[in-house]
Amino acid sequence: MDERVLLTGAEGRVGQAVLGGIGDAYEWRLFDRDPPAEETDHEFVIGDVTDDETVRDAMADVDTVVHLAGDPRPDAPWDSVLRNNIDGTQTVYEAAVETGVDRVVFASSNHAVGHYETDRKPELYRAHDDYRLDGTELPRPSNLYGVSKAAGETLGRYYHDERGLSVACVRIGNLTKGHPPIDYERGQAMWLSYRDCAHLFERCIEADYGYEIVYGISDNDRKYYSLERAKDVLGYEPQDNSAEYTNQGEPKDDV
Ligand SMILES: NC(=O)C1=CN([C@@H]2O[C@H](COP(=O)(O)OP(=O)(O)OC[C@H]3O[C@@H](n4cnc5c(N)ncnc54)[C@H](O)[C@@H]3O)[C@@H](O)[C@H]2O)C=CC1
Ligand SMILES: O=C1O[C@H](COP(=O)(O)O)[C@@H](O)[C@H](O)[C@H]1O
């Protein structure tokens, strides 16, 4: 509870999953350009992540930044990802080193490596296929949004190597609440449940590391992302598996 954590993009889906699971575990300062939709007990800063002064001020006395704010749309246009994702992320890293923050956890995406799927789909989405990406591969973005996420990872590498910041980049799969994506093989292979999401970000706040790229998915039978690095370095222990649900999202126990 002594650890003070700044959460950018707190009002979004990932932010709500994190706060729903580990909202009581830390002293949070929430940050979003939108005001809170519901009353919150946590400190809340309304601001834009491209505004360096507001971002620096929000980092006062902060130990860790969980940086989620950005445009999450796979089809987002260049001007939006350039501003919200690339400029915003550089602003966050720079403010972190200037204010003495220990670590930044960056929300990267499956779309940073989407083109590894091109010649392997749909087979790699299936449980019998043992092809795995493990985080050591070069980016192969599927869109300009994925390019912006690869840029965020590279900025993190620079701020770690040159400025000594600890950085964990989580290539998040497909976060959905309650059950895996319906009728969508790709989404089921990279499903991240809400509780596994909260637990993974808790591990990113707690573990010791220099610079890491890990995959953020549940322990799905169908997976094509390795979870070894997240388990070994962060101590990630996922609880959920999309194979426990039907293609329509019903728990198999109930069917
Ligand atoms: N939801 C998912 O399955 C995945 C999400 N991600 C990444 O996780 C992060 C969060 O995604 P979601 O919660 O799904 O998106 P979301 O759209 O639900 O939430 C994003 C939040 O960031 C805020 N925001 C956007 N631009 C901002 C700016 N310039 N300054 C301040 N606040 C800003 C928005 O107001 C919103 O509350 C994003 O960076 C996204 O790229 C990555 C892979 C999968
Ligand atoms: O990065 C993201 O990825 C997920 C999954 O991508 P999809 O193309 O299979 O839907 C997406 O839902 C999310 O909005 C995005 O931020």
Side-chain angles (χ1 to χ4, degrees), residues 203-224:
R203 295 315 310 152
C204 290
I205 294 166
E206 294 294 330
D208 282 328
Y209 49 80
Y211 177 81
E212 291 293 332
I213 295 175
V214 298
Y215 283 97
I217 61 168
S218 289
D219 197 8
N220 308 315
D221 287 357
R222 286 174 175 275
K223 70 178 89 56
Y224 56 97

Side-chain angles (χ1 to χ4, degrees), residues 49-66:
V49 285
T50 61
D51 177 347
D52 49 6
E53 198 177 328
T54 307
V55 171
R56 248 193 334 264
D57 289 350
M59 286 187 195
D61 304 320
V62 159
D63 304 296
T64 296
V65 176
V66 175

Side-chain angles (χ1 to χ4, degrees), residues 1 11 33 59 121 131 160 194 196 202 227 230 242 251:
M1 188 63 186
E11 281 296 289
R33 65 183 175 193
M59 286 187 195
K121 61 187 180 188
Y131 181 77
H160 170 67
Y194 266 49
D196 285 341
E202 186 257 344
L227 290 175
S242 58

Side-chain angles (χ1 to χ4, degrees), residues 124-127 174 176 178-196 217-224 227 236 238-253 255:
L124 88 165
Y125 304 144
R126 298 181 179 160
N174 195 332
T176 56
H179 56 74
I182 290 173
D183 205 13
Y184 182 31
E185 279 193 297
R186 176 171 197 263
Q188 291 159 3
M190 58 175 187
W191 182 46
L192 179 63
S193 71
Y194 266 49
R195 73 170 160 177
D196 285 341
I217 61 168
S218 289
D219 197 8
N220 308 315
D221 287 357
R222 286 174 175 275
K223 70 178 89 56
Y224 56 97
L227 290 175
Y236 178 49
Q239 304 294 307
D240 292 308
N241 179 350
S242 58
E244 290 165 1
Y245 296 80
T246 68
N247 194 34
Q248 294 306 309
E250 302 292 339
K252 284 184 179 164
D253 287 351
V255 176

Side-chain angles (χ1 to χ4, degrees), residues 80 84 86 143 189 191 242:
S80 177
N84 295 298
I86 299 179
N143 38 51
W191 182 46
S242 58

Side-chain angles (χ1 to χ4, degrees), residues 72-90:
R73 297 171 297 165
D75 63 351
W78 180 243
D79 60 347
S80 177
V81 297
L82 182 61
R83 175 180 152 74
N84 295 298
N85 298 6
I86 299 179
D87 186 24
T89 298
Q90 192 272 335

Side-chain angles (χ1 to χ4, degrees), residues 13 72-74 109-111 145 172-174 184 186-187 190:
R13 294 166 294 174
R73 297 171 297 165
S109 169
N110 61 88
H111 284 284
Y145 162 73
I172 302 170
N174 195 332
Y184 182 31
R186 176 171 197 263
M190 58 175 187

